[in-house]
Amino acid sequence: MLHLKKYLPRSGMVYGPGDGFLRRRWQAKRVMTGLRQAGIISVNHFYDEPDKQAVDQAMANVFNNAPRALQYAIANNDDFDCFLNALKASVPWAQDCSDSTFYQFCGRLVMARDKWHKYHVSSLYQTGNSEMAKSIDRMMETIKGHFDVTNFALWAEWDLFRSVDADKPEDEVYGPADHDCTDDGNWGPDTVMAIR
């Protein structure tokens, strides 16, 4: 079995113990399927080492979109869900993930970076960080005053608060993900293109 955590950059991050990164296997499978379909990872050869540099850059690109996503969130009353929706809309490999899976994925990455900062306060440890770690730092600087690590922490542990059918994919429980961020309910291709 291939584990999502095996593909994630480790430099500048502190992940929890064990093989799992997301709480549910189906969530990790959706993320890995998106990365595979985008050509970022290959899971055809069980013994091949993952191209961590490609994954590092793909993850960095998620957080590099923070300035545009923040503009969109500000236009929608500083709504954190709109910020995350805008991040997701700018990342082609994430389009088949449910919103909650993408939010939890981002939340867990931000929390892993935050944990690294708590253990490595000296500037001596700043060299050699992954591109993803650096991009998370830039994003956190960009969104300062609007959102903070607490916003991400809530989404990182969101599924702990789900009480019904927690082992089923979200769209099987609640129906397809609704990408509505605006009052008019219009989250169509024009909005997605404006974010990209």
Side-chain angles (χ1 to χ4, degrees):
M1 177 179 209
L2 298 171
H3 298 283
L4 175 60
K5 193 189 284 186
K6 175 181 175 182
Y7 291 84
L8 297 175
R10 296 211 179 275
S11 180
M13 309 294 282
V14 176
Y15 301 116
D19 290 329
F21 183 66
L22 298 173
R23 288 201 187 277
R24 309 284 179 234
R25 243 183 262 161
W26 61 264
Q27 292 174 306
K29 184 177 178 183
R30 286 209 179 155
V31 170
M32 289 189 56
T33 298
L35 292 170
R36 184 179 40 79
Q37 288 174 344
I40 297 166
I41 65 171
S42 171
V43 291
N44 294 332
H45 299 95
F46 191 78
Y47 295 105
D48 284 354
E49 278 300 308
D51 182 356
K52 289 193 176 189
Q53 195 169 22
V55 175
D56 186 22
Q57 192 56 57
M59 297 303 111
N61 290 341
V62 171
F63 300 105
N64 287 339
N65 291 313
R68 287 170 131 176
L70 181 61
Q71 289 174 350
Y72 186 73
I74 290 170
N76 285 283
N77 300 318
D78 266 356
D79 186 300
F80 187 65
D81 288 354
C82 286
F83 173 75
L84 290 174
N85 274 334
L87 276 184
K88 181 181 176 208
S90 67
V91 181
W93 63 261
Q95 299 312 302
D96 289 335
C97 294
S98 67
D99 289 349
S100 64
T101 296
F102 182 76
Y103 298 174
Q104 185 183 124
F105 182 69
C106 289
R108 295 218 167 185
L109 291 174
V110 170
M111 296 308 296
R113 181 62 178 160
D114 185 58
K115 194 179 289 185
W116 186 91
H117 278 300
K118 287 178 181 171
Y119 292 124
H120 300 90
V121 293
S122 171
S123 61
L124 290 173
Y125 294 103
Q126 296 300 320
T127 58
N129 284 329
S130 64
E131 288 302 312
M132 178 182 70
K134 293 175 197 173
S135 70
I136 290 172
D137 289 346
R138 286 190 300 269
M139 177 193 69
M140 296 308 289
E141 188 62 33
T142 299
I143 66 174
K144 190 187 301 181
H146 298 276
F147 311 116
D148 61 23
V149 74
T150 307
N151 297 102
F152 286 97
L154 291 171
W155 270 111
E157 302 303 329
W158 175 84
D159 69 331
L160 289 177
F161 305 108
R162 284 177 61 189
S163 60
V164 63
D165 295 325
D167 288 328
K168 290 184 180 177
E170 181 181 79
D171 55 354
E172 287 180 20
V173 177
Y174 302 108
D178 179 14
H179 299 286
D180 180 22
C181 249
T182 59
D183 291 336
D184 65 2
N186 186 6
W187 226 127
D190 293 338
T191 305
V192 172
M193 292 309 294
I195 294 167
R196 288 185 186 162

